[in-house]
Protein backbone atom coordinates (compact mmCIF):
# COMPACT_ATOMS: atom_id res chain seq x y z
CA UNK A 1 0.00 0.00 0.00
CA UNK A 2 1.27 3.47 -0.86
CA UNK A 3 1.73 5.99 1.95
CA UNK A 4 -1.37 8.12 2.49
CA UNK A 5 -0.50 9.52 5.93
CA UNK A 6 2.18 12.18 6.44
CA UNK A 7 3.47 12.10 10.03
CA UNK A 8 5.04 15.46 10.95
CA UNK A 9 7.48 15.54 13.87
CA UNK A 10 9.20 18.82 14.84
CA UNK A 11 12.33 17.77 16.70
CA UNK A 12 15.62 19.09 17.98
CA UNK A 13 15.89 16.58 20.82
CA UNK A 14 14.75 12.98 21.17
CA UNK A 15 13.69 11.70 17.76
CA UNK A 16 14.21 8.10 18.97
CA UNK A 17 10.72 8.30 20.49
CA UNK A 18 9.41 7.48 17.03
CA UNK A 19 10.60 3.90 17.43
CA UNK A 20 7.91 3.47 20.12
CA UNK A 21 5.24 4.69 17.71
CA UNK A 22 6.44 2.25 15.06
CA UNK A 23 6.46 -0.58 17.62
CA UNK A 24 2.92 0.37 18.63
CA UNK A 25 1.83 0.13 14.99
CA UNK A 26 3.40 -3.30 14.59
CA UNK A 27 1.87 -4.60 17.83
CA UNK A 28 -1.60 -3.53 16.72
CA UNK A 29 -1.27 -4.63 13.12
CA UNK A 30 -1.30 -1.14 11.63
CA UNK A 31 0.31 -1.07 8.18
CA UNK A 32 3.49 1.01 8.46
CA UNK A 33 3.58 1.28 4.67
CA UNK A 34 0.80 3.87 5.06
CA UNK A 35 3.19 6.25 6.85
CA UNK A 36 5.61 8.81 5.47
CA UNK A 37 7.46 10.37 8.42
CA UNK A 38 8.66 13.95 8.01
CA UNK A 39 11.18 15.00 10.66
CA UNK A 40 11.48 18.81 10.74
CA UNK A 41 14.70 19.86 12.46
CA UNK A 42 17.62 22.31 12.38
CA UNK A 43 21.09 22.42 10.85
CA UNK A 44 22.66 21.99 14.29
CA UNK A 45 20.82 18.68 14.86
CA UNK A 46 21.68 15.11 13.91
CA UNK A 47 19.82 14.86 10.60
CA UNK A 48 21.99 11.94 9.54
CA UNK A 49 21.07 10.04 12.69
CA UNK A 50 17.38 10.71 12.03
CA UNK A 51 17.68 9.33 8.50
CA UNK A 52 19.45 6.24 9.86
CA UNK A 53 16.66 5.70 12.38
CA UNK A 54 14.03 5.71 9.61
CA UNK A 55 16.13 3.35 7.49
CA UNK A 56 16.66 1.01 10.44
CA UNK A 57 12.92 0.92 11.13
CA UNK A 58 12.07 0.40 7.47
CA UNK A 59 9.71 3.39 7.47
CA UNK A 60 9.50 5.81 4.56
CA UNK A 61 10.25 9.42 5.32
CA UNK A 62 12.51 12.44 4.99
CA UNK A 63 14.48 14.78 7.22
CA UNK A 64 14.38 18.52 6.63
CA UNK A 65 16.80 20.76 8.47
CA UNK A 66 17.00 24.49 7.75
CA UNK A 67 19.19 24.09 4.68
CA UNK A 68 17.01 21.33 3.23
CA UNK A 69 13.89 23.45 3.72
CA UNK A 70 15.43 26.36 1.84
CA UNK A 71 16.32 24.00 -1.01
CA UNK A 72 12.76 22.66 -1.03
CA UNK A 73 11.32 26.17 -1.28
CA UNK A 74 13.61 26.85 -4.24
CA UNK A 75 12.69 23.61 -5.98
CA UNK A 76 8.99 24.39 -5.64
CA UNK A 77 9.29 28.08 -6.62
CA UNK A 78 7.95 29.32 -3.28
CA UNK A 79 11.07 30.89 -1.78
CA UNK A 80 9.20 34.18 -1.39
CA UNK A 81 7.05 32.44 1.22
CA UNK A 82 9.86 30.94 3.30
CA UNK A 83 9.09 33.50 6.03
CA UNK A 84 5.90 31.58 6.81
CA UNK A 85 7.85 28.97 8.78
CA UNK A 86 9.94 30.48 11.60
CA UNK A 87 13.34 29.02 12.44
CA UNK A 88 13.83 26.97 15.61
CA UNK A 89 10.15 27.12 16.50
CA UNK A 90 7.49 24.52 17.16
CA UNK A 91 5.53 26.30 14.43
CA UNK A 92 7.78 24.50 11.94
CA UNK A 93 4.93 22.01 11.78
CA UNK A 94 3.65 24.37 9.07
CA UNK A 95 6.42 23.10 6.82
CA UNK A 96 4.86 19.68 7.14
CA UNK A 97 1.55 21.13 5.97
CA UNK A 98 3.22 22.73 2.94
CA UNK A 99 4.94 19.43 2.15
CA UNK A 100 1.61 17.62 2.33
CA UNK A 101 -0.05 20.17 0.08
CA UNK A 102 2.65 19.67 -2.55
CA UNK A 103 2.08 15.89 -2.36
CA UNK A 104 -1.59 15.12 -3.05
CA UNK A 105 -1.08 11.43 -2.30
CA UNK A 106 -1.33 12.29 1.40
CA UNK A 107 -4.97 12.19 2.50
CA UNK A 108 -4.17 12.52 6.20
CA UNK A 109 -1.69 14.22 8.47
CA UNK A 110 -0.55 13.37 11.98
CA UNK A 111 1.36 15.68 14.33
CA UNK A 112 3.54 14.06 17.00
CA UNK A 113 5.81 15.87 19.47
CA UNK A 114 9.19 14.37 20.28
CA UNK A 115 8.55 14.36 24.05
CA UNK A 116 5.61 11.95 23.83
CA UNK A 117 5.09 8.18 23.76
CA UNK A 118 2.08 6.10 22.72
CA UNK A 119 0.08 4.08 25.21
CA UNK A 120 -0.04 0.34 24.58
CA UNK A 121 -3.79 0.34 25.18
CA UNK A 122 -4.45 1.98 21.83
CA UNK A 123 -3.51 1.37 18.24
CA UNK A 124 -2.24 4.94 18.03
CA UNK A 125 -2.45 5.49 14.27
CA UNK A 126 -5.40 3.15 13.84
CA UNK A 127 -7.49 4.94 16.48
CA UNK A 128 -6.81 8.34 14.94
CA UNK A 129 -7.74 7.09 11.47
CA UNK A 130 -10.90 5.44 12.83
CA UNK A 131 -11.82 8.69 14.59
CA UNK A 132 -11.69 10.57 11.30
CA UNK A 133 -14.28 8.14 9.87
CA UNK A 134 -16.65 8.07 12.83
CA UNK A 135 -20.35 8.96 12.61
CA UNK A 136 -21.55 7.51 15.92
CA UNK A 137 -22.92 9.32 18.96
CA UNK A 138 -20.52 11.00 21.41
CA UNK A 139 -20.69 13.39 24.32
CA UNK A 140 -21.11 17.04 23.35
CA UNK A 141 -19.88 19.84 25.59
CA UNK A 142 -20.56 23.55 25.92
CA UNK A 143 -20.18 26.28 28.53
CA UNK A 144 -21.66 29.65 29.32
CA UNK A 145 -18.27 31.21 28.46
CA UNK A 146 -18.27 29.61 24.98
CA UNK A 147 -15.04 27.77 25.80
CA UNK A 148 -14.64 24.09 26.58
CA UNK A 149 -11.83 23.01 28.88
CA UNK A 150 -10.46 19.85 27.22
CA UNK A 151 -9.65 18.63 30.76
CA UNK A 152 -13.22 19.18 31.97
CA UNK A 153 -13.92 15.49 32.64
CA UNK A 154 -12.13 15.52 36.01
CA UNK A 155 -11.64 19.24 36.51
CA UNK A 156 -13.40 19.19 39.89
CA UNK A 157 -10.54 17.04 41.17
CA UNK A 158 -7.44 18.49 39.48
CA UNK A 159 -8.60 22.06 38.72
CA UNK A 160 -6.47 22.27 35.56
CA UNK A 161 -6.95 24.46 32.52
CA UNK A 162 -4.78 23.80 29.44
CA UNK A 163 -2.30 26.11 27.75
CA UNK A 164 -4.14 28.72 25.71
CA UNK A 165 -7.44 28.58 27.58
CA UNK A 166 -8.50 32.23 28.12
CA UNK A 167 -8.37 33.43 31.70
CA UNK A 168 -11.63 35.30 31.17
CA UNK A 169 -13.38 32.01 30.38
CA UNK A 170 -12.45 30.26 33.64
CA UNK A 171 -15.03 29.26 36.26
CA UNK A 172 -17.39 28.36 33.46
CA UNK A 173 -20.63 26.41 33.84
CA UNK A 174 -20.34 23.22 31.79
CA UNK A 175 -23.25 21.52 30.05
CA UNK A 176 -23.04 18.10 28.43
CA UNK A 177 -25.30 16.16 26.12
CA UNK A 178 -24.91 13.72 23.25
CA UNK A 179 -25.14 14.00 19.50
CA UNK A 180 -24.12 12.15 16.37
CA UNK A 181 -20.85 13.10 14.74
CA UNK A 182 -21.09 14.79 11.36
CA UNK A 183 -17.82 14.82 9.40
CA UNK A 184 -14.79 14.53 11.70
CA UNK A 185 -11.84 16.42 10.16
CA UNK A 186 -9.50 16.44 13.17
CA UNK A 187 -8.82 13.95 15.96
CA UNK A 188 -7.11 15.42 19.01
CA UNK A 189 -5.66 12.94 21.48
CA UNK A 190 -5.01 14.15 25.03
CA UNK A 191 -2.12 13.33 27.37
CA UNK A 192 -1.20 11.61 30.58
CA UNK A 193 1.69 12.53 32.90
CA UNK A 194 2.74 16.18 32.33
CA UNK A 195 -0.33 18.30 31.47
CA UNK A 196 -0.02 20.91 28.73
CA UNK A 197 -0.32 24.08 30.83
CA UNK A 198 0.88 27.62 30.33
CA UNK A 199 3.63 29.09 32.47
CA UNK A 200 1.35 31.15 34.72
CA UNK A 201 -0.67 28.09 35.64
CA UNK A 202 2.50 26.04 36.14
CA UNK A 203 3.86 28.68 38.52
CA UNK A 204 0.57 28.66 40.41
CA UNK A 205 0.96 24.88 40.66
CA UNK A 206 4.29 25.46 42.38
CA UNK A 207 6.70 24.25 39.70
CA UNK A 208 9.78 26.14 38.46
CA UNK A 209 10.89 23.55 35.88
CA UNK A 210 8.10 23.98 33.36
CA UNK A 211 6.33 20.74 34.16
CA UNK A 212 3.63 21.35 36.80
CA UNK A 213 3.30 19.39 40.02
CA UNK A 214 -0.22 18.14 39.24
CA UNK A 215 -0.17 15.28 36.75
CA UNK A 216 -2.88 13.60 34.69
CA UNK A 217 -3.52 9.88 34.38
CA UNK A 218 -6.09 7.51 32.88
CA UNK A 219 -8.68 8.29 35.53
CA UNK A 220 -8.83 11.92 34.38
CA UNK A 221 -10.25 10.97 30.96
CA UNK A 222 -13.53 9.36 30.02
CA UNK A 223 -13.79 8.74 26.28
CA UNK A 224 -14.20 11.18 23.38
CA UNK A 225 -16.23 14.37 23.06
CA UNK A 226 -16.92 17.33 20.77
CA UNK A 227 -17.22 20.99 21.63
CA UNK A 228 -20.59 22.17 20.35
CA UNK A 229 -20.95 24.57 17.43
CA UNK A 230 -20.02 28.11 18.45
CA UNK A 231 -17.84 26.82 21.28
CA UNK A 232 -14.04 27.00 21.25
CA UNK A 233 -11.37 24.75 22.72
CA UNK A 234 -7.60 24.51 22.87
CA UNK A 235 -6.02 22.36 20.16
CA UNK A 236 -2.57 21.03 21.00
CA UNK A 237 -0.53 19.60 18.13
CA UNK A 238 1.47 17.06 20.16
CA UNK A 239 -1.04 14.24 19.42
CA UNK A 240 -3.28 15.14 16.52
CA UNK A 241 -4.57 13.68 13.24
CA UNK A 242 -6.38 15.61 10.54
CA UNK A 243 -7.71 15.36 7.02
CA UNK A 244 -5.90 17.02 4.15
CA UNK A 245 -8.82 19.33 3.41
CA UNK A 246 -8.27 21.43 6.55
CA UNK A 247 -4.76 22.61 5.62
CA UNK A 248 -5.87 25.99 4.20
CA UNK A 249 -7.35 26.86 7.61
CA UNK A 250 -4.73 25.17 9.78
CA UNK A 251 -1.62 27.32 9.43
CA UNK A 252 0.55 27.08 12.54
CA UNK A 253 1.14 30.72 13.33
CA UNK A 254 4.50 32.60 13.04
CA UNK A 255 5.65 32.50 16.64
CA UNK A 256 8.96 33.12 18.41
CA UNK A 257 10.83 34.80 15.55
CA UNK A 258 8.99 38.16 15.54
CA UNK A 259 9.69 41.65 16.85
CA UNK A 260 7.04 41.37 19.58
CA UNK A 261 8.62 38.13 20.86
CA UNK A 262 5.23 36.43 20.93
CA UNK A 263 5.52 32.66 21.22
CA UNK A 264 3.75 29.50 22.35
CA UNK A 265 0.41 30.17 20.63
CA UNK A 266 1.04 28.59 17.21
CA UNK A 267 -1.11 25.48 17.64
CA UNK A 268 -3.53 27.23 20.01
CA UNK A 269 -4.49 29.93 17.53
CA UNK A 270 -4.48 27.55 14.58
CA UNK A 271 -6.95 25.46 16.59
CA UNK A 272 -9.22 28.47 17.02
CA UNK A 273 -9.13 29.03 13.26
CA UNK A 274 -9.82 25.36 12.58
CA UNK A 275 -12.76 25.22 14.98
CA UNK A 276 -14.30 28.33 13.43
CA UNK A 277 -13.92 26.90 9.93
CA UNK A 278 -15.27 23.52 11.04
CA UNK A 279 -18.34 25.18 12.56
CA UNK A 280 -19.04 27.22 9.44
CA UNK A 281 -18.69 24.16 7.19
CA UNK A 282 -20.58 21.71 9.39
CA UNK A 283 -17.55 19.62 10.41
CA UNK A 284 -16.38 18.23 13.74
CA UNK A 285 -13.18 18.27 15.81
CA UNK A 286 -13.13 15.16 18.02
CA UNK A 287 -11.11 15.20 21.26
CA UNK A 288 -10.11 12.45 23.67
CA UNK A 289 -8.47 9.16 22.67
CA UNK A 290 -5.87 7.93 21.89
CA UNK A 291 -4.00 9.35 24.85
CA UNK A 292 -0.24 9.81 24.67
CA UNK A 293 2.28 10.03 27.51
CA UNK A 294 3.71 13.54 27.67
CA UNK A 295 7.22 13.59 29.13
CA UNK A 296 8.02 17.27 28.90
CA UNK A 297 11.71 17.99 29.48
CA UNK A 298 12.53 20.14 32.49
CA UNK A 299 13.25 23.77 31.65
CA UNK A 300 12.84 27.05 33.53
CA UNK A 301 9.17 27.93 33.79
CA UNK A 302 10.17 31.59 33.48
CA UNK A 303 11.52 30.93 29.97
CA UNK A 304 8.05 29.83 28.87
CA UNK A 305 6.54 32.76 30.77
CA UNK A 306 8.71 35.23 28.85
CA UNK A 307 7.53 33.68 25.58
CA UNK A 308 3.86 33.72 26.56
CA UNK A 309 3.41 37.09 28.26
CA UNK A 310 3.66 39.19 25.05
CA UNK A 311 0.64 37.35 23.63
CA UNK A 312 -1.50 36.73 26.71
CA UNK A 313 -3.82 39.70 26.18
CA UNK A 314 -4.17 38.93 22.48
CA UNK A 315 -5.12 35.35 23.32
CA UNK A 316 -8.07 36.65 25.33
CA UNK A 317 -9.52 38.32 22.23
CA UNK A 318 -8.44 36.37 19.14
CA UNK A 319 -11.46 34.07 19.22
CA UNK A 320 -13.84 37.01 19.40
CA UNK A 321 -12.31 38.48 16.24
CA UNK A 322 -12.59 35.32 14.15
CA UNK A 323 -15.99 34.37 15.57
CA UNK A 324 -17.48 37.46 13.93
CA UNK A 325 -16.43 36.68 10.33
CA UNK A 326 -16.66 34.04 7.64
CA UNK A 327 -20.30 33.01 8.08
CA UNK A 328 -21.01 33.00 4.36
CA UNK A 329 -17.86 31.15 3.28
CA UNK A 330 -18.17 27.74 1.65
CA UNK A 331 -14.57 26.49 1.91
CA UNK A 332 -11.73 26.32 4.41
CA UNK A 333 -9.80 28.84 2.34
CA UNK A 334 -12.81 31.14 2.29
CA UNK A 335 -13.24 31.11 6.06
CA UNK A 336 -9.51 31.53 6.56
CA UNK A 337 -9.38 34.48 4.16
CA UNK A 338 -12.15 36.22 6.09
CA UNK A 339 -10.27 35.70 9.35
CA UNK A 340 -7.02 36.87 7.75
CA UNK A 341 -8.63 40.06 6.47
CA UNK A 342 -10.20 40.82 9.84
CA UNK A 343 -6.84 40.52 11.59
CA UNK A 344 -4.70 42.17 8.92
CA UNK A 345 -6.97 45.19 8.44
CA UNK A 346 -8.10 45.74 12.02
CA UNK A 347 -7.06 48.45 14.45
CA UNK A 348 -5.74 46.62 17.50
CA UNK A 349 -4.06 49.58 19.19
CA UNK A 350 -6.09 49.03 22.37
CA UNK A 351 -4.24 45.77 22.99
CA UNK A 352 -0.68 45.27 24.16
CA UNK A 353 1.29 44.19 21.07
CA UNK A 354 -1.86 44.63 19.01
CA UNK A 355 0.18 45.08 15.83
CA UNK A 356 1.01 41.40 16.06
CA UNK A 357 -2.57 40.66 14.98
CA UNK A 358 -1.94 42.62 11.77
CA UNK A 359 1.31 40.70 11.30
CA UNK A 360 -0.49 37.38 11.75
CA UNK A 361 -3.23 38.40 9.32
CA UNK A 362 -0.69 39.24 6.63
CA UNK A 363 1.03 35.89 7.14
CA UNK A 364 -2.34 34.15 6.85
CA UNK A 365 -2.89 35.81 3.48
CA UNK A 366 0.57 34.70 2.38
CA UNK A 367 -0.27 31.17 3.54
CA UNK A 368 -3.19 30.96 1.15
CA UNK A 369 -1.08 32.41 -1.68
CA UNK A 370 1.66 29.87 -0.97
CA UNK A 371 -0.81 26.99 -1.09
CA UNK A 372 -2.12 28.29 -4.42
CA UNK A 373 1.43 28.44 -5.76
CA UNK A 374 2.15 24.88 -4.65
CA UNK A 375 -1.06 23.61 -6.22
CA UNK A 376 -0.55 25.41 -9.54
CA UNK A 377 0.77 23.34 -12.46
CA UNK A 378 4.49 23.93 -12.85
CA UNK A 379 5.87 24.88 -16.24
CA UNK A 380 7.77 22.08 -17.92
CA UNK A 381 11.44 22.70 -18.60
CA UNK A 382 12.17 23.40 -22.31
CA UNK A 383 13.57 20.46 -24.21
CA UNK A 384 17.18 20.56 -25.32
CA UNK A 385 17.70 21.21 -29.02
Amino acid sequence: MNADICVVVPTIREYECMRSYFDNAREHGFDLDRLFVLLVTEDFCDAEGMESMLDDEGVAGAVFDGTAREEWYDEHDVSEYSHLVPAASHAQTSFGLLYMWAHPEFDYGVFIDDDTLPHDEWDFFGRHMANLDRTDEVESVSSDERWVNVLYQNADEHGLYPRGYPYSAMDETVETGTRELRDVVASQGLWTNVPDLDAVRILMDGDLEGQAQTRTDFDDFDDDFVAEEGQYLTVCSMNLAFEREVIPAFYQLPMDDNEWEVGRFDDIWSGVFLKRAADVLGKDVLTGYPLCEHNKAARPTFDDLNNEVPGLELNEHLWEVVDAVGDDADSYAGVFEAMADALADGDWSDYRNGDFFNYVGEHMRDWLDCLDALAAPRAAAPADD
Side-chain angles (χ1 to χ4, degrees):
M1 181 175 187
N2 293 328
D4 64 337
I5 304 168
C6 185
V7 181
V8 182
V9 186
T11 180
I12 59 172
R13 292 185 300 267
E14 186 47 72
Y15 57 86
E16 291 283 338
C17 73
M18 292 309 299
R19 294 186 190 272
S20 295
Y21 284 95
F22 303 148
D23 286 343
N24 174 275
R26 294 185 186 101
E27 290 167 5
H28 288 277
F30 187 85
D31 186 359
L32 281 170
D33 288 342
R34 293 187 64 183
L35 304 184
F36 183 92
V37 178
L38 193 73
L39 298 168
V40 187
T41 189
E42 295 297 338
D43 287 345
F44 56 81
C45 297
D46 184 16
E48 188 173 309
M50 296 178 193
E51 292 169 351
S52 295
M53 182 269 294
L54 293 175
D55 288 342
D56 183 52
E57 292 286 337
V59 177
V63 179
F64 280 87
D65 58 19
T67 298
R69 289 195 296 276
E70 292 301 323
E71 292 172 352
W72 189 88
Y73 296 137
D74 289 340
E75 291 169 2
H76 289 79
D77 298 326
V78 292
S79 292
E80 65 183 293
Y81 300 109
S82 63
H83 63 283
L84 288 171
V85 182
S89 170
H90 186 269
Q92 288 174 345
T93 43
S94 279
F95 178 77
L97 299 179
L98 295 178
Y99 189 91
M100 282 184 63
W101 201 248
H103 292 269
E105 65 268 25
F106 297 127
D107 296 321
Y108 310 100
V110 175
F111 286 159
I112 295 175
D113 274 8
D114 67 358
D115 57 359
T116 66
L117 293 171
H119 279 287
D120 293 340
E121 288 80 357
W122 287 279
D123 172 1
F124 179 83
F125 295 109
R127 178 61 182 252
H128 272 308
M129 292 302 106
N131 283 348
L132 294 174
D133 284 336
R134 287 176 60 179
T135 57
D136 57 318
E137 190 173 86
V138 299
E139 185 165 67
S140 61
V141 191
S142 62
S143 87
D144 58 340
E145 298 290 349
R146 296 189 60 196
W147 271 84
V148 170
N149 176 1
V150 297
L151 301 176
Y152 79 95
Q153 289 170 334
N154 201 26
D156 288 344
E157 294 296 324
H158 55 60
L160 298 176
Y161 285 92
R163 175 176 57 90
Y165 190 96
Y167 287 88
S168 59
M170 294 173 63
D171 299 320
E172 75 281 15
T173 299
V174 177
E175 294 186 4
T176 62
T178 59
R179 72 165 173 83
E180 288 188 356
L181 293 168
R182 299 171 294 184
D183 180 2
V184 178
V185 294
S187 167
Q188 175 181 206
L190 297 174
W191 3 265
T192 60
N193 196 26
V194 182
D196 183 30
L197 311 183
D198 67 23
V200 173
R201 292 179 171 109
I202 291 173
L203 289 171
M204 292 175 65
D205 198 39
D207 190 283
L208 299 182
E209 296 186 335
Q211 296 186 323
Q213 298 284 333
T214 303
R215 301 298 172 93
T216 53
D217 59 31
F218 281 91
D219 294 337
D220 292 312
F221 304 98
D222 182 21
D223 215 343
D224 305 301
F225 62 90
V226 288
E228 276 292 3
E229 186 171 321
Q231 299 278 317
Y232 290 88
L233 76 167
T234 56
V235 174
C236 170
S237 65
M238 78 169 77
N239 174 11
L240 182 75
F242 54 92
E243 295 192 344
R244 175 188 183 82
E245 67 185 66
V246 309
I247 290 176
F250 202 39
Y251 173 44
Q252 309 293 293
L253 280 300
M255 297 289 157
D256 304 303
D257 186 18
N258 58 75
E259 65 180 271
W260 302 270
E261 298 183 340
V262 177
R264 300 267 293 161
F265 292 103
D266 49 311
D267 51 353
I268 299 300
W269 290 5
S270 73
V272 171
F273 299 149
L274 176 62
K275 183 57 165 65
R276 175 58 179 161
D279 285 351
V280 170
L281 301 174
K283 312 290 187 176
D284 279 324
V285 175
L286 185 66
T287 299
Y289 299 154
L291 302 178
C292 73
E293 179 183 316
H294 184 208
N295 302 306
K296 183 180 178 182
R299 63 178 184 239
T301 308
F302 293 104
D303 285 355
D304 284 346
L305 183 66
N306 285 330
N307 288 331
E308 292 167 2
V309 164
L312 282 178
E313 182 181 15
L314 300 179
N315 187 59
E316 296 292 316
H317 301 287
L318 177 82
W319 72 275
E320 298 169 328
V321 176
V322 304
D323 188 66
V325 299
D327 281 321
D328 57 351
D330 59 4
S331 67
Y332 289 99
V335 181
F336 199 68
E337 183 178 21
M339 295 186 285
D341 289 345
L343 289 166
D345 297 336
D347 178 2
W348 313 113
S349 56
D350 287 344
Y351 302 149
R352 178 179 176 83
N353 297 327
D355 289 347
F356 185 66
F357 270 174
N358 305 108
Y359 176 86
V360 165
E362 292 293 347
H363 277 65
M364 292 166 67
R365 287 169 168 169
D366 288 348
W367 177 254
L368 293 175
D369 289 344
C370 184
L371 295 182
D372 286 344
L374 287 172
R378 300 177 67 186
D384 293 334
D385 293 333

